[in-house]
Amino acid sequence: MTNEFEQLSSHDSWQLLNRAVTRAMKEAGYELSRVPGRGRSNVHLIRKGGTTQVATIRTSRDRWIAYPPLDDGKRWKTLDDSDVVFISAVDDRHNPRNVQVYQMPKDAVREAFDKAYAEKIKTGKVVTKNFGMWISLDKIDGRVDAAAAGVLKGTKALAVYPVTELLEADGSEESEIADDMGSEVESGPTTIAEALAIARTQIAALAGVAPEAVKLELKIEY
């Protein structure tokens, strides 16, 4: 049986995931607006019951998300400036049938990323400053390293939508999330280490494996 989600382009699948999170936030009673001065980044003001919060949104086609570490892991770009995190992810990376939307306090997500960062440093893995560090939403059996930290930690989904339902709503339910492919717009790598980190992440996405599973060797000939 053909999986409709897997037939979508990267951009179309990103739009579908954002359509899901926009719908879930509205159904939960939130009003959305852009954060002034943040350009196309995925940061929004959300209002409900007279309370305004800063929300950062992450989408995931493989149940991994990323935030860029700063100051040797003492700060996290975008995450530290938020109050709440919304995650829109497929239910199964290998056979996605539904999109699950989660809402989590910033501190809970930060705790998971702090733990992942500390474990990566402890085990000698390279963490590139100001470049997304990836972490799994779920625990991974047999692994206790940073990749298996498990951001969700049993968090119940705010909403679950069948992919077929979201596809049928295409055009009638517009996403209010910025068209930034789920991450802040970067100017590109400025060092060889950053370029390798980007290549490793992209290769991992194509191969359907965790970034840590990709090993690259660089040889420069003059």
Side-chain angles (χ1 to χ4, degrees), residues 170-182:
D170 186 14
S172 62
E173 292 183 4
E174 294 298 328
S175 171
E176 296 183 14
I177 310 304
D179 189 6
D180 64 354
M181 295 304 289

Side-chain angles (χ1 to χ4, degrees), residues 61-87:
R61 293 180 287 269
D62 59 3
R63 297 190 68 80
W64 289 66
I65 64 170
Y67 282 102
L70 301 171
D71 297 339
D72 298 323
K74 295 182 179 66
R75 296 190 298 119
W76 294 92
K77 189 173 183 179
T78 304
L79 179 59
D80 280 2
D81 297 328
S82 67
D83 301 304
V84 61
V85 176
F86 285 86
I87 301 170

Side-chain angles (χ1 to χ4, degrees), residues 194-214:
E194 289 180 359
L196 287 173
I198 293 172
R200 185 165 53 247
T201 300
Q202 293 176 336
I203 291 172
L206 291 172
V209 300
E212 285 84 357
V214 179

